[in-house]
Amino acid sequence: MRDFFCANFTLFLYIFSMTNEAIAANFSLLSKLMDIHGDNAFKAKSYASAAFSIDKLPVELSSLSHDKIFVQKGIGESTGKKIIEQLETGRLSVLDEYLSKTPEGIIEMLGIKGIGPKKIATIWKELEIETLGELLYACNENRLTLYKGFGEKTQHNIREAIEFYFNSMGSYLYQQMEEFEPKATKKLLESFPEVSFLSTGAYRKQHEIVDILEWVTTASLEQLKTFFIQQQFTIVTENTSYLSVKAIENVTLGFYMASTDSYFLRQFETSCSEEFLLAWKKMYPSYASTTYPSEEAIFEQAGIAYIPPYYREDPSVIEEAKKKSLPVVIQPEDIKGIIHSHSKWSDGSHSLEEMAKAAKEQGLEYLVISDHSKSAFYASGLDIERVIAQHQQIDELNQQLGSFRIYKSIESDILNDGSLDYPDEVLATFDIIIASIHSNLKMPQDKAMMRLINAIENPYTSILGHMTGRLLLSRNGYPVDHAKIIDACAANDVVIELNAHPRRLDIDWRWIGKALNKGVLISINPDAHAIDGFKDCRYGVLAAQKAGLTKEQNLSSFSKEQFESFLVQQHSKRP
């Protein structure tokens, strides 16, 4: 995990120093962990009191003899012994015990404003959330408000505090950089009116995570240094051809210096993967000896089709470009329907009617409503009676919406044995079923594969939702054998979701090519928990472009008529 100890000052003190501040911090942390675990409230309170007293002492405990420690105000026999233990060993054994049985992410939550031990206990024990990324995702899905002590304002404040915390780490989702990069470029052009800047690097290649925003520029090193020092940036890297600086907000900016003759050549070279560029140099060894008026001219000179930056990952793409056979990749406007969305029936923010009307107003042709199934109690999942009631509402709304249509779906939990979350007679009432894992995510690969393969082989499963359960920058997801899952989906005519939420983007685009080669459809789905979430389809599209996905290979690009034909084919699998 990203520099955990720097983000958790208490633990940093615990390991490296035994000052009064560190000892007090250890007792304070111990008190909070005991509260989180629901253990001995009296002892927890006494440790918190000891922390307060030690923090106020006018003398360092390390400078006192053992007998003098026991006579200090607020220090009793039990506390005194634990102080001596820390001074002699640098550890507190009882704290070690609690740390060993507490997930790292739970400890991390203690540093987030607005959530104390009692709320963290609820988050961990009732919502089954163990990381800040999962908690942020739950806030975005409106789940916290379902629990006592968490109102809308509290949820909003927690979300803002977590986002601030993540921003301090220095790595960002593409979505976050998409908001920042145009403003930064505009500021650079305003500050250097005689100089040119071209975007490059990870952002231009549409990587899902961006560690550094980069440009190619005709500015000189001294020009850039002077400007950024005046703006109170920190110099990170400096040489004759490259400069990187870090802002107070912890965003790193990088600049490749180039002459007017090498400007577009430099942009090309810094907009390719290392493997792609190495292959290019072998195929076109003299390419760098020419001055180009644009990046496109580099490809014209080579006599091949232009390869967009997002597609410059695998060297095999160069051969496709030679044959002029590059795919016409999917575009955001190719999305025809919203598949995978949640309403107020479970943990969404808007009513089903509001979501359907918004989708229709945006020019979409259909909405697949897939609220959570009954096992997802944390998300107000639908029991069978509520499924029947929702289906009745869908029928009524479909009478009012003209050519637009709502399809009956459910995001059915994949249970521990790989079965789906309703009996077959209930599953048969849905137009389409998305099967996803939401619980017991800490499992070895054989367990994950058993659950996934069993769900894929269920004849009612049409779409496999967020394959690995990952949350970018916060949770790696459970281990899976991607190739075997893709093979199983091909064999059982199951679509693989590309969950377009910018914190998921799961299936990873690096595996989409394998799925396409096996004839497996992808479905770019927003997993929208509010109307605003529809726009997340864009981030799924940008990721899919890197794999060369076309609109014909994406289920959510099907017209309503094509989608209904797909449903007929899927229903033919059912017993």
Side-chain angles (χ1 to χ4, degrees):
M1 195 169 186
R2 295 160 292 143
D3 206 353
F4 175 69
F5 291 115
C6 289
N8 291 270
F9 187 57
T10 298
L11 292 186
F12 181 81
L13 291 172
Y14 177 56
I15 289 179
F16 293 106
S17 177
M18 276 302 119
T19 61
N20 284 8
E21 182 183 5
I23 293 169
N26 290 343
F27 281 124
S28 178
L29 178 58
L30 176 58
S31 171
K32 292 172 182 175
L33 291 178
M34 291 181 74
D35 279 339
I36 290 171
H37 284 270
D39 293 341
N40 201 315
F42 177 78
K43 275 192 175 181
K45 189 173 181 180
S46 70
Y47 289 134
S49 178
F52 180 82
S53 298
I54 292 167
D55 199 43
K56 300 297 182 184
L57 289 176
V59 60
E60 282 291 332
L61 290 166
S62 60
S63 68
L64 301 176
S65 60
H66 288 182
D67 58 321
K68 291 291 181 64
I69 289 174
F70 289 94
V71 300
Q72 298 301 310
K73 183 178 179 181
I75 297 176
E77 183 177 354
S78 176
T79 303
K81 288 179 180 179
K82 288 180 171 59
I83 290 171
I84 292 169
E85 177 192 354
Q86 293 177 74
L87 291 172
E88 290 182 344
T89 68
R91 314 293 303 179
L92 179 57
S93 58
V94 65
L95 179 55
D96 282 339
E97 292 173 15
Y98 274 96
L99 288 171
S100 69
K101 63 183 181 182
T102 309
E104 188 177 279
I106 296 298
I107 300 168
E108 216 174 359
M109 288 179 197
L110 288 167
I112 299 299
K113 183 179 178 182
I115 44 176
K118 301 296 185 187
K119 282 189 169 65
I120 292 173
T122 299
I123 289 165
W124 183 19
K125 302 299 184 181
E126 296 190 40
L127 278 80
E128 298 183 354
I129 287 172
E130 293 189 356
T131 70
L132 283 175
E134 291 173 301
L135 181 55
L136 178 59
Y137 199 81
C139 289
N140 290 332
E141 292 189 336
N142 209 36
R143 288 188 191 167
L144 265 64
T145 57
L146 302 174
Y147 290 83
K148 186 178 179 181
F150 293 93
E152 287 189 14
K153 185 175 181 181
T154 299
Q155 179 175 262
H156 174 77
N157 291 340
I158 290 172
R159 180 169 59 242
E160 285 195 335
I162 296 173
E163 287 173 344
F164 178 82
Y165 174 81
F166 277 154
N167 288 348
S168 72
M169 294 297 184
S171 293
Y172 298 86
L173 303 176
Y174 177 90
Q175 171 211 28
Q176 294 171 301
M177 288 296 95
E178 191 177 43
E179 298 171 5
F180 183 86
E181 194 274 349
K183 297 176 183 176
T185 299
K186 182 180 179 183
K187 177 67 175 176
L188 288 168
L189 293 172
E190 289 173 350
S191 302
F192 298 91
E194 305 302 319
V195 169
S196 298
F197 290 89
L198 289 175
S199 178
T200 193
Y203 176 78
R204 189 167 187 244
K205 289 186 285 182
Q206 298 173 193
H207 282 193
E208 58 269 54
I209 295 172
V210 178
D211 297 316
I212 179 170
L213 272 179
E214 294 180 306
W215 292 264
V216 173
T217 180
T218 54
S220 69
L221 175 63
E222 288 307 314
Q223 278 180 296
L224 292 171
K225 274 183 64 179
T226 300
F227 173 77
F228 284 112
I229 290 172
Q230 288 174 347
Q231 300 295 318
Q232 297 184 317
F233 281 64
T234 302
I235 305 296
V236 178
T237 305
E238 176 188 347
N239 58 50
T240 55
S241 60
Y242 186 77
L243 176 74
S244 66
V245 297
K246 184 171 285 189
I248 296 172
E249 298 86 355
N250 211 30
V251 178
T252 302
L253 312 179
F255 300 90
Y256 295 94
M257 269 72 76
S259 66
T260 52
D261 288 344
S262 64
Y263 189 48
F264 292 105
L265 181 64
R266 194 73 169 128
Q267 186 192 34
F268 164 74
E269 292 178 333
T270 55
S271 298
C272 306
S273 71
E274 290 183 15
E275 296 80 8
F276 183 100
L277 185 58
L278 181 62
W280 184 275
K281 287 179 177 179
K282 288 181 179 178
M283 291 184 194
Y284 307 102
S286 62
Y287 81 99
S289 60
T290 304
T291 298
Y292 300 98
S294 67
E295 193 186 49
E296 287 79 3
I298 298 172
F299 294 89
E300 292 172 7
Q301 176 73 19
I304 67 174
Y306 176 74
I307 304 173
Y310 59 73
Y311 208 37
R312 299 176 201 161
E313 298 286 351
D314 192 317
S316 65
V317 172
I318 301 173
E319 294 299 328
E320 292 181 51
K322 283 182 179 179
K323 299 172 185 175
K324 305 294 175 71
S325 59
L326 292 175
V328 179
V329 298
I330 189 169
Q331 299 298 322
E333 57 269 23
D334 292 326
I335 301 297
K336 300 300 182 186
I338 296 297
I339 301 176
H340 194 166
S341 57
H342 299 268
S343 71
K344 279 186 175 180
W345 279 92
S346 64
D347 58 345
S349 298
H350 293 99
S351 71
L352 178 51
E353 182 177 9
E354 288 171 332
M355 295 187 77
K357 287 183 175 179
K360 183 179 180 181
E361 288 169 2
Q362 292 176 28
L364 296 161
E365 297 180 22
Y366 54 92
L367 171 72
V368 177
I369 191 68
S370 43
D371 280 308
H372 286 283
S373 60
K374 61 181 181 178
S375 290
F377 58 88
Y378 53 84
S380 193
L382 278 62
D383 59 25
I384 294 173
E385 290 73 21
R386 294 179 70 221
V387 167
I388 295 169
Q390 187 188 64
H391 286 185
Q392 182 178 348
Q393 186 190 21
I394 291 172
D395 289 338
E396 292 169 356
L397 288 171
N398 278 335
Q399 293 294 319
Q400 305 168 20
L401 292 168
S403 61
F404 185 89
R405 185 168 178 83
I406 306 170
Y407 292 98
K408 300 166 185 173
S409 180
I410 198 78
E411 186 179 16
S412 181
D413 268 31
I414 298 174
L415 305 180
N416 280 331
D417 62 356
S419 62
L420 300 187
D421 197 14
Y422 294 107
D424 286 358
E425 58 267 24
V426 177
L427 294 174
T429 66
F430 294 101
D431 294 315
I432 188 168
I433 291 165
I434 300 170
S436 306
I437 291 178
H438 290 109
S439 60
N440 301 321
L441 303 183
K442 288 186 174 180
M443 53 184 167
Q445 182 170 306
D446 59 347
K447 173 74 170 179
M449 290 299 293
M450 179 274 291
R451 292 173 72 182
L452 289 167
I453 298 297
N454 283 352
I456 291 166
E457 291 177 346
N458 189 307
Y460 289 96
T461 298
S462 292
I463 300 175
L464 177 63
H466 43 72
M467 179 192 291
T468 72
R470 78 177 185 183
L471 294 175
L472 295 171
L473 296 177
S474 30
R475 183 176 76 198
N476 289 330
Y478 34 83
V480 301
D481 184 327
H482 286 78
K484 286 184 178 178
I485 291 175
I486 290 168
D487 286 344
C489 288
N492 292 278
D493 202 9
V494 170
V495 177
I496 296 178
E497 173 181 77
L498 197 179
N499 189 296
H501 190 288
R503 198 165 286 279
R504 284 194 185 270
L505 296 177
D506 184 15
I507 179 174
D508 191 297
W509 64 265
R510 295 162 185 83
W511 285 98
I512 290 177
K514 165 77 172 175
L516 300 181
N517 290 338
K518 292 285 184 174
V520 176
L521 269 177
I522 301 298
S523 189
I524 298 174
N525 303 336
D527 198 354
H529 285 70
I531 291 167
D532 193 49
F534 293 170
K535 71 178 187 299
D536 284 347
C537 287
R538 167 179 168 75
Y539 301 107
V541 168
L542 295 182
Q545 287 178 341
K546 295 183 67 59
L549 186 77
T550 68
K551 64 181 181 180
E552 291 80 12
Q553 297 163 320
N554 173 58
L555 180 62
S556 58
S557 295
F558 283 20
S559 68
K560 187 179 70 170
E561 290 72 23
Q562 290 173 318
F563 185 73
E564 290 186 345
S565 296
F566 167 82
L567 294 181
V568 170
Q569 176 268 321
Q570 284 290 308
H571 288 191
S572 70
K573 298 192 313 183
R574 298 179 178 182

